[in-house]
Coordinates of all heavy atoms in Angstrom, one line a residue:
Chain P
K33 N 3.1 29.9 11.2 CA 4.4 30.7 11.0 C 4.0 32.2 10.9 O 2.9 32.6 10.6 CB 5.0 30.2 9.7 CG 5.5 28.8 9.7 CD 6.6 28.6 10.7 CE 7.1 27.2 10.8 NZ 8.2 27.0 11.7
K38 N 10.9 31.6 6.9 CA 11.2 30.6 5.8 C 10.5 29.3 6.3 O 10.8 28.9 7.5 CB 12.7 30.5 5.6 CG 13.1 29.6 4.4 CD 14.5 29.7 4.1 CE 14.9 29.0 2.8 NZ 16.3 29.2 2.4
L41 N 8.2 22.5 4.0 CA 7.2 21.4 4.1 C 7.8 20.2 3.4 O 8.2 20.3 2.3 CB 5.9 21.9 3.4 CG 5.2 23.1 3.9 CD1 3.9 23.3 3.1 CD2 4.9 23.1 5.4
L61 N -11.4 26.9 -5.1 CA -10.4 26.9 -6.2 C -9.8 25.5 -6.6 O -9.0 25.3 -7.4 CB -9.2 27.8 -5.8 CG -9.6 29.3 -5.6 CD1 -8.4 30.0 -5.1 CD2 -10.1 29.9 -6.9
G62 N -10.3 24.5 -5.8 CA -9.8 23.1 -6.1 C -8.3 23.0 -5.6 O -7.8 23.6 -4.8
Y70 N 9.9 15.1 -11.7 CA 9.8 13.9 -12.4 C 11.1 13.0 -12.2 O 11.2 12.0 -12.7 CB 9.5 14.0 -13.8 CG 10.4 15.0 -14.5 CD1 11.6 14.6 -15.2 CD2 10.1 16.3 -14.6 CE1 12.4 15.5 -15.8 CE2 10.9 17.2 -15.3 CZ 12.0 16.8 -15.9 OH 12.9 17.6 -16.5
M74 N 15.3 17.2 -10.5 CA 14.5 17.8 -11.6 C 13.2 18.3 -11.0 O 12.6 17.7 -10.2 CB 14.2 16.7 -12.6 CG 15.4 15.9 -13.2 SD 16.6 17.0 -13.9 CE 15.8 17.3 -15.5
E76 N 9.8 21.2 -12.1 CA 9.0 22.0 -13.1 C 8.1 22.8 -12.4 O 7.4 22.4 -11.4 CB 8.3 21.0 -14.1 CG 9.2 20.3 -15.0 CD 9.8 21.1 -16.2 OE1 9.2 22.2 -16.4 OE2 10.7 20.6 -16.8
S85 N 9.6 27.5 -3.7 CA 10.7 26.8 -4.4 C 10.6 25.4 -3.9 O 9.8 25.1 -2.9 CB 12.0 27.4 -4.1 OG 12.4 27.3 -2.8
S87 N 12.7 21.3 -3.5 CA 14.0 20.6 -3.5 C 13.8 19.1 -3.6 O 12.9 18.6 -2.9 CB 14.8 20.9 -2.2 OG 15.9 20.1 -2.1
R88 N 14.5 18.4 -4.4 CA 14.4 16.9 -4.5 C 15.8 16.3 -4.6 O 16.3 16.1 -5.6 CB 13.5 16.5 -5.7 CG 13.3 15.0 -5.8 CD 11.8 14.7 -5.8 NE 11.6 13.3 -5.8 CZ 11.0 12.6 -6.9 NH1 10.7 13.3 -7.9 NH2 10.8 11.4 -6.8
E92 N 12.8 9.8 -2.7 CA 11.6 9.6 -1.9 C 11.1 10.9 -1.2 O 10.1 10.9 -0.6 CB 11.9 8.5 -0.8 CG 12.9 8.9 0.2 CD 14.3 8.5 -0.1 OE1 14.6 8.3 -1.3 OE2 15.2 8.5 0.8
A112 N 1.7 14.8 -3.4 CA 1.2 13.6 -4.0 C 2.3 13.0 -4.8 O 3.3 13.5 -5.2 CB 0.0 14.0 -5.0
F114 N 3.1 9.7 -7.8 CA 2.4 9.3 -9.0 C 3.0 8.0 -9.4 O 4.3 7.9 -9.6 CB 2.7 10.4 -9.9 CG 2.3 10.3 -11.4 CD1 1.4 11.1 -11.9 CD2 2.9 9.4 -12.2 CE1 1.0 11.1 -13.2 CE2 2.6 9.4 -13.5 CZ 1.7 10.2 -14.1
A117 N 1.2 3.8 -13.3 CA -0.1 3.6 -13.8 C -0.9 4.8 -13.8 O -2.2 4.8 -13.9 CB -0.8 2.5 -13.0

Side-chain angles (χ1 to χ4, degrees):
Chain P
K33 295 291 183 181
K38 191 168 186 175
L41 303 182
L61 297 177
Y70 52 90
M74 306 301 285
E76 291 284 343
S85 62
S87 172
R88 184 119 182 251
E92 67 270 19
F114 173 116

